[in-house]
């Protein structure tokens, strides 16, 4: 399928640039989505983050180079984009379990990590409740935090942000000023190629006052999936959307935020919706 072909083309780009700087925005362009959406898709499809995959591929090839015996460790470190031999040694030992200087010895065991090839896999049928809705632009009000361009660096940022908002009363204050649709506590990832990446905890409302930040969610078409369970089940639903629904849906990612709508924010008995911005694939 075209969607899977694009992902595999992006894998070819990575292989061709393992000794260069890999441009995440270029990967997104190959897959027809933003760098953020590309990284999310990759993580859910491959089971590891994009940055970790690239590290493993580099370390796998570095071991082959060291076994050939023609290059110094410092030269191979520079070849694969490490600013210092110390950083390279740390990454190499983390992956292979031995120091780079030990690889040239006869009989030394190292790891090999092959390039990923994506294919559509037929799985057991799982129901997903969703609807497609086109909505006008709407304003959200809340607090935000900057996000790193490598999404694995944000894995602590978002949970800590929710924890702080719960403790310091932000969530309660936001609930009090929510007055327009969608009526729920929102987690909004604004991660396009034109703006500073941000994550918002917010509500849709008309009166921000001086305490909160505002952002206008652009008019978009959304695939809206509903679910219940714990906060962990939100991540499971998002993975299911990307690995099972999106490849065969006839849609692809649009350039708009991802939104989680918490209709009942109880972390152990949540009712929520996941909004994925989509556009019909071109014929």
């Amino acid at each position: 399928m075209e969607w899977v072909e694009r992902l595999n083309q992006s894998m070819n780009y990575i292989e061709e640039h393992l000794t260069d700087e890999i441009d995440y925005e270029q990967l997104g362009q190959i897959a027809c989505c933003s760098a953020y959406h590309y990284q999310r898709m990759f993580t859910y499809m491959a089971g590891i983050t994009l940055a970790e995959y690239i590290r493993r591929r580099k370390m796998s090839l570095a071991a082959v180079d060291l076994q050939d015996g023609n290059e110094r460790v410092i030269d191979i470190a520079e070849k694969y984009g490490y600013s210092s031999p110390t950083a390279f040694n740390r990454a190499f030992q983390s992956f292979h379990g031995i120091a780079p200087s030990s690889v040239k010895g006869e009989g030394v065991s190292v790891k090999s990590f092959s390039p990923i090839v994506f294919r559509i896999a037929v799985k057991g049928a799982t129901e997903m409740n969703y609807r497609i809705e086109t909505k006008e632009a709407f304003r959200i009000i809340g607090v935000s935090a900057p996000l790193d361009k490598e999404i694995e660096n944000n894995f602590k940022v978002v949970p800590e942000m929710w924890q702080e908002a719960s403790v310091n009363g932000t969530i309660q204050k936001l609930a009090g000023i929510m007055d327009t649709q969608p009526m729920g506590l929102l987690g909004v990832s604004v991660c396009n190629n034109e703006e500073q990446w941000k994550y918002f905890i917010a509500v849709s409302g008309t009166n921000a006052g001086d305490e909160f930040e505002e952002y206008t969610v652009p008019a978009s078409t959304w695939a809206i999936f509903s679910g219940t369970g714990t906060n962990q089940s939100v991540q499971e639903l998002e993975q299911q959307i990307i690995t099972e629904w999106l490849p065969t849906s006839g849609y692809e990612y649009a350039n708009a935020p991802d939104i989680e709508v918490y209709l009942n924010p109880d972390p152990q008995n949540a009712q929520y919706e996941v909004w994925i911005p989509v556009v019909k694939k071109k014929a």
Side-chain angles (χ1 to χ4, degrees):
M1 296 184 66
E2 183 181 358
W3 189 81
V4 175
E5 289 173 2
R6 289 175 186 166
L7 285 176
N8 286 325
Q9 288 170 9
S10 72
M11 293 296 96
N12 294 337
Y13 171 87
I14 290 173
E15 288 302 303
E16 293 167 359
H17 292 83
L18 283 171
T19 57
D20 305 323
E21 183 175 351
I22 294 174
D23 186 342
Y24 285 14
E25 290 190 8
Q26 179 64 30
L27 288 170
Q29 289 175 16
I30 294 170
C32 295
C33 61
S34 70
Y36 170 77
H37 286 138
Y38 179 87
Q39 290 182 74
R40 289 190 70 217
M41 282 196 301
F42 183 92
T43 299
Y44 284 138
M45 297 283 286
I48 59 172
T49 65
L50 177 61
E52 178 60 23
Y53 171 74
I54 292 170
R55 276 194 290 270
R56 292 184 187 184
R57 285 295 299 139
K58 286 185 175 184
M59 291 304 101
S60 185
L61 295 180
V64 174
D65 290 346
L66 287 167
Q67 287 172 327
D68 288 343
N70 298 323
E71 296 180 85
R72 298 178 301 166
V73 170
I74 190 171
D75 294 330
I76 292 174
E78 184 177 356
K79 177 179 179 180
Y80 289 102
Y82 285 83
S83 57
S84 71
T86 300
F88 175 76
N89 289 350
R90 186 164 54 246
F92 192 93
Q93 189 147 354
S94 174
F95 180 65
H96 292 286
I98 59 173
S101 56
S102 303
V103 171
K104 296 182 181 182
E106 188 173 340
V108 174
S109 177
V110 294
K111 295 179 181 178
S112 176
F113 189 81
S114 300
I116 284 175
V117 177
F118 289 102
R119 295 184 178 92
I120 289 291
V122 178
K123 302 181 180 180
T126 305
E127 289 186 355
M128 282 186 283
N129 297 316
Y130 78 96
R131 63 190 187 273
I132 303 294
E133 292 190 10
T134 299
K135 295 184 176 292
E136 297 296 325
F138 62 93
R139 184 172 65 166
I140 63 171
I141 300 164
V143 293
S144 74
L147 295 178
D148 193 89
K149 292 288 185 176
E150 282 192 9
I151 63 172
E152 70 173 350
N153 295 333
N154 301 317
F155 290 162
K156 286 186 177 181
V157 173
V158 173
E160 288 176 356
M161 189 178 170
W162 278 99
Q163 177 65 25
E164 182 180 355
S166 177
V167 171
N168 66 18
T170 296
I171 288 177
Q172 292 81 357
K173 291 178 182 178
L174 288 173
I177 60 175
M178 174 174 55
D179 60 9
T180 58
Q181 295 291 336
M183 296 294 286
L185 194 59
L186 310 177
V188 182
S189 299
V190 180
C191 301
N192 56 51
N193 292 340
E194 292 79 37
E195 300 176 86
Q196 162 67 50
W197 288 11
K198 286 184 177 182
Y199 182 83
F200 283 86
I201 297 175
V203 294
S204 180
T206 56
N207 184 18
D210 298 327
E211 187 174 358
F212 296 114
E213 185 176 350
E214 298 182 25
Y215 178 80
T216 299
V217 175
S220 302
T221 298
W222 310 88
I224 301 175
F225 298 78
S226 57
T228 60
T230 65
N231 285 348
Q232 179 63 34
S233 66
V234 179
Q235 305 303 315
E236 294 169 355
L237 176 57
E238 290 176 348
Q239 181 174 16
Q240 189 180 357
I241 293 166
I242 290 172
T243 59
E244 298 180 28
W245 181 81
L246 191 59
T248 58
S249 66
Y251 290 92
E252 57 193 15
Y253 268 117
N255 190 24
D258 283 7
I259 302 175
E260 297 166 356
V261 182
Y262 293 94
L263 307 170
N264 172 14
D266 181 347
Q268 298 305 317
N269 186 30
Q271 295 178 345
Y272 52 82
E273 293 179 341
V274 174
W275 293 25
I276 303 294
V278 292
V279 61
K280 269 286 188 182
K281 289 182 181 177
K282 296 179 180 178

